Amino acid sequence: MSQLNSPGSTSDAPAALPPVRQLPAQVPMADADGGLPPDPSRGRRSGPGWGLARLPYWLGLFVATLAFVYPLVWLVSASLKPKAQVFDNRLVPQTVQLSNFVDVWAAGPVLRWLLNSVMVGLMSATAVTLSSALVAFGFAYFRFRLRGPLFGLVLATMMLPGAVTMIPVYLIWNSLGMVDTQVPLWAQNLFGSAFYIFLMRQFFLGVPRELFEAARVDGASFLRMFWQIALPLCRPALIIVFVFELQASWSDLMKPLIYLQTQEYFTMPRGLKQIVDAFAMSGEYHWEIAMAASVVATVPMIVVFALAQRYFLDGLATTARHG
């Protein structure tokens, strides 16, 4: 009996309670009729009211898309038409004439002009990307007196029209003996661009400063931090700047008109101008050939933008987060 009534005996211990069943955290309560209440979020994303509310949005997108796509569609359509039907405003050619694209190569050294445009575009894009990134890294990382006013001065150069510096810059290149060469078309980008400096500075400011401080503790130089830390982490910004400048150089006509005189050095826009001028001198305009040449000059940029579009989205999203 002493063993049965001892404190250590298990007979006096209370029985284990059954586990309490936990209900899900977000189980909707039943209404008075025993059914579940309607989901309020469904009414906002379905039904005729929601569709009508989104109708202006879709109409706006359709109009904007049509405004951007229509000129390209018209250009391709005109390049496939005979001479008499180029300006009939038909998007579907009544007569398809594929020989226009064959005649383009006989109108001038188009392949040479394309190669010149590729070379000048790559050098221009590479020069402005590296130089602007280096300046932007300096404004983003270093803390020095008058940093704000100096950066504001750089941005102020964006308000200076290019026509103001056109003649002084030409005189400089002429004194260096670089006129009628392709050097002035890309060498000016070695000094950076104010817009690209501002764009990449925003990206560099988003890189944690602790990464650079840790690299400095490990003995890394400033140039090594720029090359091995800053540039890899800001790849979307670099690609955006590179593609933008490539497109700007590819479609630029003003600089080739000013500096290029020999047909061998012409870029594609300058070559198109040469083709149109030749038609004007002969008194017979072959606009179908000019349109076909324009399509040949446009296709490479369409391919480049199609391949780099995801970097544009990443760059816009990152810039928005950085403010």
Side-chain angles (χ1 to χ4, degrees):
M1 295 296 293
S2 62
Q3 294 180 356
L4 292 176
N5 296 328
S6 61
S9 176
T10 58
S11 60
D12 295 335
L17 295 177
V20 179
R21 183 182 178 184
Q22 298 289 338
L23 292 177
Q26 297 180 350
V27 174
M29 301 299 293
D31 56 9
D33 297 332
L36 295 178
D39 188 0
S41 63
R42 291 186 178 181
R44 295 193 300 266
R45 296 184 176 273
S46 61
W50 183 81
L52 292 176
R54 302 287 290 179
L55 184 59
Y57 172 77
W58 293 112
L59 288 178
L61 287 180
F62 176 76
V63 172
T65 303
L66 185 63
F68 280 98
V69 173
Y70 178 79
L72 178 61
V73 175
W74 187 94
L75 176 64
V76 175
S77 176
S79 66
L80 298 173
K81 297 177 182 178
K83 178 182 177 180
Q85 302 176 8
V86 171
F87 297 104
D88 61 1
N89 289 328
R90 291 176 178 266
L91 295 182
V92 179
Q94 190 175 5
T95 303
V96 178
Q97 184 172 296
L98 296 177
S99 60
N100 295 339
F101 290 92
V102 179
D103 297 337
V104 167
W105 307 99
V110 177
L111 181 60
R112 179 65 180 178
W113 296 341
L114 286 174
L115 293 177
N116 290 339
S117 293
V118 171
M119 183 181 66
V120 172
L122 291 178
M123 296 183 70
S124 299
T126 303
V128 78
T129 301
L130 293 179
S131 59
S132 299
L134 188 61
V135 177
F137 176 74
F139 278 115
Y141 176 77
F142 295 104
R143 303 289 189 265
F144 54 90
R145 184 177 298 179
L146 300 179
R147 185 184 67 161
L150 287 177
F151 185 68
L153 184 63
V154 171
L155 296 182
T157 60
M158 297 172 58
M159 298 183 291
L160 188 66
V164 175
T165 59
M166 183 183 301
I167 295 178
V169 171
Y170 176 83
L171 294 177
I172 292 174
W173 288 115
N174 187 37
S175 62
L176 295 176
M178 295 295 181
V179 176
D180 199 21
T181 65
Q182 296 177 350
V183 175
L185 303 184
W186 60 268
Q188 300 181 37
N189 291 340
L190 292 173
F191 302 97
S193 170
F195 174 73
Y196 297 146
I197 291 173
F198 169 76
L199 178 65
M200 284 188 285
R201 176 180 174 269
Q202 297 303 112
F203 277 82
F204 290 143
L205 289 176
V207 178
R209 191 174 181 85
E210 291 76 10
L211 295 177
F212 300 113
E213 299 300 335
R216 289 293 296 167
V217 171
D218 292 338
S221 61
F222 295 118
L223 186 60
R224 186 175 181 181
M225 289 192 304
F226 167 74
W227 189 258
Q228 295 186 353
I229 299 178
L231 291 187
L233 292 177
C234 297
R235 185 175 63 175
L238 298 177
I239 295 178
I240 290 175
V241 172
F242 186 90
V243 174
F244 278 5
E245 185 61 28
L246 180 64
Q247 188 274 334
S249 176
W250 185 273
S251 59
D252 184 22
L253 177 60
M254 183 62 67
K255 289 181 182 178
L257 277 175
I258 295 174
Y259 294 104
L260 299 182
Q261 303 171 2
T262 305
Q263 183 173 331
E264 181 182 359
Y265 302 140
F266 284 178
T267 58
M268 194 61 193
R270 183 65 180 90
L272 290 176
K273 180 70 167 54
Q274 178 73 13
I275 292 176
V276 175
D277 291 344
F279 292 156
M281 294 178 62
S282 64
E284 185 177 2
Y285 287 93
H286 292 276
W287 291 112
E288 73 280 6
I289 299 179
M291 298 300 173
S294 300
V295 172
V296 172
T298 305
V299 168
M301 285 297 100
I302 295 177
V303 175
V304 170
F305 272 90
L307 295 177
Q309 62 178 345
R310 69 184 185 93
Y311 295 102
F312 295 153
L313 299 178
D314 294 341
L316 292 175
T318 307
T319 304
R321 289 195 301 267
H322 295 169

PDB file of all heavy atoms in Angstrom, residues 213-240:
ATOM      1  N   GLU A 213      35.079  48.457 -48.966  1.00  0.00           N
ATOM      2  CA  GLU A 213      35.928  48.589 -47.780  1.00  0.00           C
ATOM      3  C   GLU A 213      36.648  47.282 -47.470  1.00  0.00           C
ATOM      4  O   GLU A 213      37.822  47.273 -47.074  1.00  0.00           O
ATOM      5  CB  GLU A 213      35.075  49.025 -46.585  1.00  0.00           C
ATOM      6  CG  GLU A 213      34.383  50.371 -46.756  1.00  0.00           C
ATOM      7  CD  GLU A 213      35.373  51.501 -46.962  1.00  0.00           C
ATOM      8  OE1 GLU A 213      36.543  51.362 -46.524  1.00  0.00           O
ATOM      9  OE2 GLU A 213      34.988  52.520 -47.554  1.00  0.00           O
ATOM     10  N   ALA A 214      35.945  46.153 -47.669  1.00  0.00           N
ATOM     11  CA  ALA A 214      36.607  44.858 -47.454  1.00  0.00           C
ATOM     12  C   ALA A 214      37.716  44.641 -48.468  1.00  0.00           C
ATOM     13  O   ALA A 214      38.782  44.092 -48.136  1.00  0.00           O
ATOM     14  CB  ALA A 214      35.572  43.731 -47.548  1.00  0.00           C
ATOM     15  N   ALA A 215      37.492  45.057 -49.703  1.00  0.00           N
ATOM     16  CA  ALA A 215      38.542  44.930 -50.714  1.00  0.00           C
ATOM     17  C   ALA A 215      39.737  45.808 -50.387  1.00  0.00           C
ATOM     18  O   ALA A 215      40.894  45.421 -50.600  1.00  0.00           O
ATOM     19  CB  ALA A 215      37.980  45.278 -52.092  1.00  0.00           C
ATOM     20  N   ARG A 216      39.480  47.002 -49.826  1.00  0.00           N
ATOM     21  CA  ARG A 216      40.584  47.871 -49.438  1.00  0.00           C
ATOM     22  C   ARG A 216      41.400  47.262 -48.302  1.00  0.00           C
ATOM     23  O   ARG A 216      42.624  47.382 -48.270  1.00  0.00           O
ATOM     24  CB  ARG A 216      40.033  49.241 -49.010  1.00  0.00           C
ATOM     25  CG  ARG A 216      39.490  50.082 -50.156  1.00  0.00           C
ATOM     26  CD  ARG A 216      40.587  50.508 -51.105  1.00  0.00           C
ATOM     27  NE  ARG A 216      41.541  51.383 -50.439  1.00  0.00           N
ATOM     28  CZ  ARG A 216      42.729  51.716 -50.932  1.00  0.00           C
ATOM     29  NH1 ARG A 216      43.125  51.197 -52.101  1.00  0.00           N
ATOM     30  NH2 ARG A 216      43.539  52.523 -50.287  1.00  0.00           N
ATOM     31  N   VAL A 217      40.717  46.594 -47.372  1.00  0.00           N
ATOM     32  CA  VAL A 217      41.429  45.930 -46.277  1.00  0.00           C
ATOM     33  C   VAL A 217      42.327  44.820 -46.826  1.00  0.00           C
ATOM     34  O   VAL A 217      43.445  44.591 -46.336  1.00  0.00           O
ATOM     35  CB  VAL A 217      40.424  45.380 -45.248  1.00  0.00           C
ATOM     36  CG1 VAL A 217      41.122  44.501 -44.219  1.00  0.00           C
ATOM     37  CG2 VAL A 217      39.693  46.526 -44.565  1.00  0.00           C
ATOM     38  N   ASP A 218      41.864  44.137 -47.860  1.00  0.00           N
ATOM     39  CA  ASP A 218      42.650  43.068 -48.473  1.00  0.00           C
ATOM     40  C   ASP A 218      43.748  43.589 -49.380  1.00  0.00           C
ATOM     41  O   ASP A 218      44.495  42.792 -49.964  1.00  0.00           O
ATOM     42  CB  ASP A 218      41.740  42.142 -49.277  1.00  0.00           C
ATOM     43  CG  ASP A 218      40.806  41.357 -48.374  1.00  0.00           C
ATOM     44  OD1 ASP A 218      41.129  41.218 -47.177  1.00  0.00           O
ATOM     45  OD2 ASP A 218      39.757  40.889 -48.859  1.00  0.00           O
ATOM     46  N   GLY A 219      43.855  44.902 -49.524  1.00  0.00           N
ATOM     47  CA  GLY A 219      44.944  45.477 -50.306  1.00  0.00           C
ATOM     48  C   GLY A 219      44.613  45.761 -51.748  1.00  0.00           C
ATOM     49  O   GLY A 219      45.536  46.019 -52.548  1.00  0.00           O
ATOM     50  N   ALA A 220      43.349  45.748 -52.121  1.00  0.00           N
ATOM     51  CA  ALA A 220      42.966  46.014 -53.512  1.00  0.00           C
ATOM     52  C   ALA A 220      43.093  47.501 -53.812  1.00  0.00           C
ATOM     53  O   ALA A 220      42.764  48.350 -52.980  1.00  0.00           O
ATOM     54  CB  ALA A 220      41.533  45.547 -53.771  1.00  0.00           C
ATOM     55  N   SER A 221      43.544  47.816 -54.997  1.00  0.00           N
ATOM     56  CA  SER A 221      43.636  49.209 -55.424  1.00  0.00           C
ATOM     57  C   SER A 221      42.266  49.701 -55.879  1.00  0.00           C
ATOM     58  O   SER A 221      41.334  48.924 -56.075  1.00  0.00           O
ATOM     59  CB  SER A 221      44.649  49.355 -56.568  1.00  0.00           C
ATOM     60  OG  SER A 221      44.232  48.593 -57.691  1.00  0.00           O
ATOM     61  N   PHE A 222      42.165  50.993 -56.072  1.00  0.00           N
ATOM     62  CA  PHE A 222      40.897  51.561 -56.532  1.00  0.00           C
ATOM     63  C   PHE A 222      40.540  51.055 -57.929  1.00  0.00           C
ATOM     64  O   PHE A 222      39.375  50.788 -58.225  1.00  0.00           O
ATOM     65  CB  PHE A 222      40.968  53.092 -56.527  1.00  0.00           C
ATOM     66  CG  PHE A 222      41.127  53.680 -55.161  1.00  0.00           C
ATOM     67  CD1 PHE A 222      42.246  54.421 -54.841  1.00  0.00           C
ATOM     68  CD2 PHE A 222      40.161  53.477 -54.184  1.00  0.00           C
ATOM     69  CE1 PHE A 222      42.396  54.971 -53.579  1.00  0.00           C
ATOM     70  CE2 PHE A 222      40.289  54.021 -52.915  1.00  0.00           C
ATOM     71  CZ  PHE A 222      41.417  54.762 -52.614  1.00  0.00           C
ATOM     72  N   LEU A 223      41.530  50.937 -58.782  1.00  0.00           N
ATOM     73  CA  LEU A 223      41.264  50.448 -60.130  1.00  0.00           C
ATOM     74  C   LEU A 223      40.811  48.993 -60.107  1.00  0.00           C
ATOM     75  O   LEU A 223      39.925  48.594 -60.882  1.00  0.00           O
ATOM     76  CB  LEU A 223      42.522  50.602 -60.999  1.00  0.00           C
ATOM     77  CG  LEU A 223      42.361  50.257 -62.484  1.00  0.00           C
ATOM     78  CD1 LEU A 223      41.301  51.152 -63.124  1.00  0.00           C
ATOM     79  CD2 LEU A 223      43.683  50.385 -63.222  1.00  0.00           C
ATOM     80  N   ARG A 224      41.385  48.214 -59.215  1.00  0.00           N
ATOM     81  CA  ARG A 224      40.966  46.813 -59.111  1.00  0.00           C
ATOM     82  C   ARG A 224      39.547  46.708 -58.539  1.00  0.00           C
ATOM     83  O   ARG A 224      38.768  45.855 -58.983  1.00  0.00           O
ATOM     84  CB  ARG A 224      41.939  46.047 -58.220  1.00  0.00           C
ATOM     85  CG  ARG A 224      41.659  44.553 -58.167  1.00  0.00           C
ATOM     86  CD  ARG A 224      42.714  43.817 -57.369  1.00  0.00           C
ATOM     87  NE  ARG A 224      42.450  42.388 -57.337  1.00  0.00           N
ATOM     88  CZ  ARG A 224      43.209  41.509 -56.689  1.00  0.00           C
ATOM     89  NH1 ARG A 224      44.294  41.928 -56.030  1.00  0.00           N
ATOM     90  NH2 ARG A 224      42.905  40.229 -56.696  1.00  0.00           N
ATOM     91  N   MET A 225      39.195  47.550 -57.590  1.00  0.00           N
ATOM     92  CA  MET A 225      37.822  47.560 -57.083  1.00  0.00           C
ATOM     93  C   MET A 225      36.835  47.925 -58.190  1.00  0.00           C
ATOM     94  O   MET A 225      35.749  47.351 -58.291  1.00  0.00           O
ATOM     95  CB  MET A 225      37.698  48.545 -55.918  1.00  0.00           C
ATOM     96  CG  MET A 225      38.393  48.096 -54.641  1.00  0.00           C
ATOM     97  SD  MET A 225      37.921  49.127 -53.211  1.00  0.00           S
ATOM     98  CE  MET A 225      38.354  50.755 -53.809  1.00  0.00           C
ATOM     99  N   PHE A 226      37.231  48.887 -59.000  1.00  0.00           N
ATOM    100  CA  PHE A 226      36.364  49.286 -60.109  1.00  0.00           C
ATOM    101  C   PHE A 226      36.188  48.155 -61.106  1.00  0.00           C
ATOM    102  O   PHE A 226      35.072  47.892 -61.573  1.00  0.00           O
ATOM    103  CB  PHE A 226      36.962  50.525 -60.786  1.00  0.00           C
ATOM    104  CG  PHE A 226      36.336  50.861 -62.115  1.00  0.00           C
ATOM    105  CD1 PHE A 226      35.069  51.426 -62.173  1.00  0.00           C
ATOM    106  CD2 PHE A 226      37.015  50.609 -63.296  1.00  0.00           C
ATOM    107  CE1 PHE A 226      34.490  51.730 -63.396  1.00  0.00           C
ATOM    108  CE2 PHE A 226      36.446  50.918 -64.518  1.00  0.00           C
ATOM    109  CZ  PHE A 226      35.181  51.483 -64.565  1.00  0.00           C
ATOM    110  N   TRP A 227      37.270  47.461 -61.427  1.00  0.00           N
ATOM    111  CA  TRP A 227      37.231  46.459 -62.486  1.00  0.00           C
ATOM    112  C   TRP A 227      36.626  45.134 -62.020  1.00  0.00           C
ATOM    113  O   TRP A 227      35.906  44.477 -62.772  1.00  0.00           O
ATOM    114  CB  TRP A 227      38.643  46.244 -63.027  1.00  0.00           C
ATOM    115  CG  TRP A 227      38.687  45.388 -64.258  1.00  0.00           C
ATOM    116  CD1 TRP A 227      39.028  44.075 -64.352  1.00  0.00           C
ATOM    117  CD2 TRP A 227      38.363  45.804 -65.580  1.00  0.00           C
ATOM    118  NE1 TRP A 227      38.935  43.636 -65.638  1.00  0.00           N
ATOM    119  CE2 TRP A 227      38.528  44.680 -66.423  1.00  0.00           C
ATOM    120  CE3 TRP A 227      37.950  47.013 -66.149  1.00  0.00           C
ATOM    121  CZ2 TRP A 227      38.300  44.740 -67.793  1.00  0.00           C
ATOM    122  CZ3 TRP A 227      37.720  47.066 -67.509  1.00  0.00           C
ATOM    123  CH2 TRP A 227      37.897  45.940 -68.319  1.00  0.00           C
ATOM    124  N   GLN A 228      36.890  44.723 -60.784  1.00  0.00           N
ATOM    125  CA  GLN A 228      36.485  43.399 -60.326  1.00  0.00           C
ATOM    126  C   GLN A 228      35.255  43.398 -59.419  1.00  0.00           C
ATOM    127  O   GLN A 228      34.679  42.337 -59.193  1.00  0.00           O
ATOM    128  CB  GLN A 228      37.653  42.727 -59.592  1.00  0.00           C
ATOM    129  CG  GLN A 228      38.846  42.448 -60.486  1.00  0.00           C
ATOM    130  CD  GLN A 228      39.926  41.653 -59.772  1.00  0.00           C
ATOM    131  OE1 GLN A 228      39.854  41.408 -58.573  1.00  0.00           O
ATOM    132  NE2 GLN A 228      40.946  41.250 -60.516  1.00  0.00           N
ATOM    133  N   ILE A 229      34.858  44.551 -58.910  1.00  0.00           N
ATOM    134  CA  ILE A 229      33.684  44.601 -58.025  1.00  0.00           C
ATOM    135  C   ILE A 229      32.576  45.442 -58.635  1.00  0.00           C
ATOM    136  O   ILE A 229      31.441  44.986 -58.792  1.00  0.00           O
ATOM    137  CB  ILE A 229      34.066  45.143 -56.637  1.00  0.00           C
ATOM    138  CG1 ILE A 229      35.097  44.228 -55.968  1.00  0.00           C
ATOM    139  CG2 ILE A 229      32.831  45.270 -55.757  1.00  0.00           C
ATOM    140  CD1 ILE A 229      35.560  44.717 -54.611  1.00  0.00           C
ATOM    141  N   ALA A 230      32.898  46.682 -58.980  1.00  0.00           N
ATOM    142  CA  ALA A 230      31.851  47.600 -59.431  1.00  0.00           C
ATOM    143  C   ALA A 230      31.280  47.189 -60.785  1.00  0.00           C
ATOM    144  O   ALA A 230      30.054  47.120 -60.957  1.00  0.00           O
ATOM    145  CB  ALA A 230      32.406  49.021 -59.495  1.00  0.00           C
ATOM    146  N   LEU A 231      32.132  46.915 -61.760  1.00  0.00           N
ATOM    147  CA  LEU A 231      31.638  46.590 -63.099  1.00  0.00           C
ATOM    148  C   LEU A 231      30.822  45.299 -63.138  1.00  0.00           C
ATOM    149  O   LEU A 231      29.741  45.275 -63.746  1.00  0.00           O
ATOM    150  CB  LEU A 231      32.807  46.523 -64.079  1.00  0.00           C
ATOM    151  CG  LEU A 231      33.510  47.849 -64.396  1.00  0.00           C
ATOM    152  CD1 LEU A 231      34.530  47.651 -65.503  1.00  0.00           C
ATOM    153  CD2 LEU A 231      32.506  48.917 -64.789  1.00  0.00           C
ATOM    154  N   PRO A 232      31.284  44.191 -62.533  1.00  0.00           N
ATOM    155  CA  PRO A 232      30.445  42.976 -62.588  1.00  0.00           C
ATOM    156  C   PRO A 232      29.087  43.137 -61.910  1.00  0.00           C
ATOM    157  O   PRO A 232      28.096  42.550 -62.361  1.00  0.00           O
ATOM    158  CB  PRO A 232      31.306  41.920 -61.876  1.00  0.00           C
ATOM    159  CG  PRO A 232      32.705  42.412 -62.015  1.00  0.00           C
ATOM    160  CD  PRO A 232      32.600  43.899 -61.936  1.00  0.00           C
ATOM    161  N   LEU A 233      29.008  43.919 -60.830  1.00  0.00           N
ATOM    162  CA  LEU A 233      27.743  44.075 -60.124  1.00  0.00           C
ATOM    163  C   LEU A 233      26.784  45.019 -60.847  1.00  0.00           C
ATOM    164  O   LEU A 233      25.593  45.031 -60.544  1.00  0.00           O
ATOM    165  CB  LEU A 233      27.993  44.591 -58.708  1.00  0.00           C
ATOM    166  CG  LEU A 233      28.707  43.610 -57.771  1.00  0.00           C
ATOM    167  CD1 LEU A 233      28.955  44.253 -56.417  1.00  0.00           C
ATOM    168  CD2 LEU A 233      27.901  42.328 -57.599  1.00  0.00           C
ATOM    169  N   CYS A 234      27.295  45.814 -61.761  1.00  0.00           N
ATOM    170  CA  CYS A 234      26.459  46.778 -62.501  1.00  0.00           C
ATOM    171  C   CYS A 234      26.405  46.433 -63.979  1.00  0.00           C
ATOM    172  O   CYS A 234      26.402  47.319 -64.835  1.00  0.00           O
ATOM    173  CB  CYS A 234      26.987  48.193 -62.298  1.00  0.00           C
ATOM    174  SG  CYS A 234      26.929  48.762 -60.582  1.00  0.00           S
ATOM    175  N   ARG A 235      26.373  45.157 -64.288  1.00  0.00           N
ATOM    176  CA  ARG A 235      26.357  44.739 -65.688  1.00  0.00           C
ATOM    177  C   ARG A 235      25.133  45.226 -66.443  1.00  0.00           C
ATOM    178  O   ARG A 235      25.258  45.627 -67.606  1.00  0.00           O
ATOM    179  CB  ARG A 235      26.470  43.211 -65.773  1.00  0.00           C
ATOM    180  CG  ARG A 235      26.589  42.694 -67.189  1.00  0.00           C
ATOM    181  CD  ARG A 235      26.824  41.203 -67.209  1.00  0.00           C
ATOM    182  NE  ARG A 235      25.692  40.481 -66.626  1.00  0.00           N
ATOM    183  CZ  ARG A 235      25.594  39.150 -66.606  1.00  0.00           C
ATOM    184  NH1 ARG A 235      26.583  38.413 -67.101  1.00  0.00           N
ATOM    185  NH2 ARG A 235      24.544  38.574 -66.056  1.00  0.00           N
ATOM    186  N   PRO A 236      23.900  45.219 -65.866  1.00  0.00           N
ATOM    187  CA  PRO A 236      22.761  45.759 -66.634  1.00  0.00           C
ATOM    188  C   PRO A 236      22.961  47.202 -67.077  1.00  0.00           C
ATOM    189  O   PRO A 236      22.615  47.565 -68.202  1.00  0.00           O
ATOM    190  CB  PRO A 236      21.586  45.618 -65.659  1.00  0.00           C
ATOM    191  CG  PRO A 236      21.969  44.500 -64.761  1.00  0.00           C
ATOM    192  CD  PRO A 236      23.445  44.625 -64.589  1.00  0.00           C
ATOM    193  N   ALA A 237      23.534  48.034 -66.201  1.00  0.00           N
ATOM    194  CA  ALA A 237      23.766  49.428 -66.583  1.00  0.00           C
ATOM    195  C   ALA A 237      24.783  49.528 -67.707  1.00  0.00           C
ATOM    196  O   ALA A 237      24.632  50.339 -68.631  1.00  0.00           O
ATOM    197  CB  ALA A 237      24.237  50.227 -65.369  1.00  0.00           C
ATOM    198  N   LEU A 238      25.820  48.726 -67.649  1.00  0.00           N
ATOM    199  CA  LEU A 238      26.834  48.754 -68.709  1.00  0.00           C
ATOM    200  C   LEU A 238      26.234  48.343 -70.047  1.00  0.00           C
ATOM    201  O   LEU A 238      26.537  48.943 -71.087  1.00  0.00           O
ATOM    202  CB  LEU A 238      27.994  47.831 -68.338  1.00  0.00           C
ATOM    203  CG  LEU A 238      28.770  48.174 -67.068  1.00  0.00           C
ATOM    204  CD1 LEU A 238      29.830  47.125 -66.792  1.00  0.00           C
ATOM    205  CD2 LEU A 238      29.405  49.549 -67.178  1.00  0.00           C
ATOM    206  N   ILE A 239      25.392  47.322 -70.031  1.00  0.00           N
ATOM    207  CA  ILE A 239      24.786  46.863 -71.283  1.00  0.00           C
ATOM    208  C   ILE A 239      23.827  47.910 -71.837  1.00  0.00           C
ATOM    209  O   ILE A 239      23.769  48.144 -73.051  1.00  0.00           O
ATOM    210  CB  ILE A 239      24.083  45.518 -71.063  1.00  0.00           C
ATOM    211  CG1 ILE A 239      25.121  44.448 -70.700  1.00  0.00           C
ATOM    212  CG2 ILE A 239      23.297  45.094 -72.299  1.00  0.00           C
ATOM    213  CD1 ILE A 239      24.532  43.093 -70.403  1.00  0.00           C
ATOM    214  N   ILE A 240      23.071  48.563 -70.947  1.00  0.00           N
ATOM    215  CA  ILE A 240      22.161  49.613 -71.404  1.00  0.00           C
ATOM    216  C   ILE A 240      22.934  50.751 -72.062  1.00  0.00           C
ATOM    217  O   ILE A 240      22.585  51.220 -73.150  1.00  0.00           O
ATOM    218  CB  ILE A 240      21.330  50.133 -70.218  1.00  0.00           C
ATOM    219  CG1 ILE A 240      20.323  49.070 -69.775  1.00  0.00           C
ATOM    220  CG2 ILE A 240      20.600  51.418 -70.595  1.00  0.00           C
ATOM    221  CD1 ILE A 240      19.550  49.465 -68.547  1.00  0.00           C
TER     222      ILE A 240
END
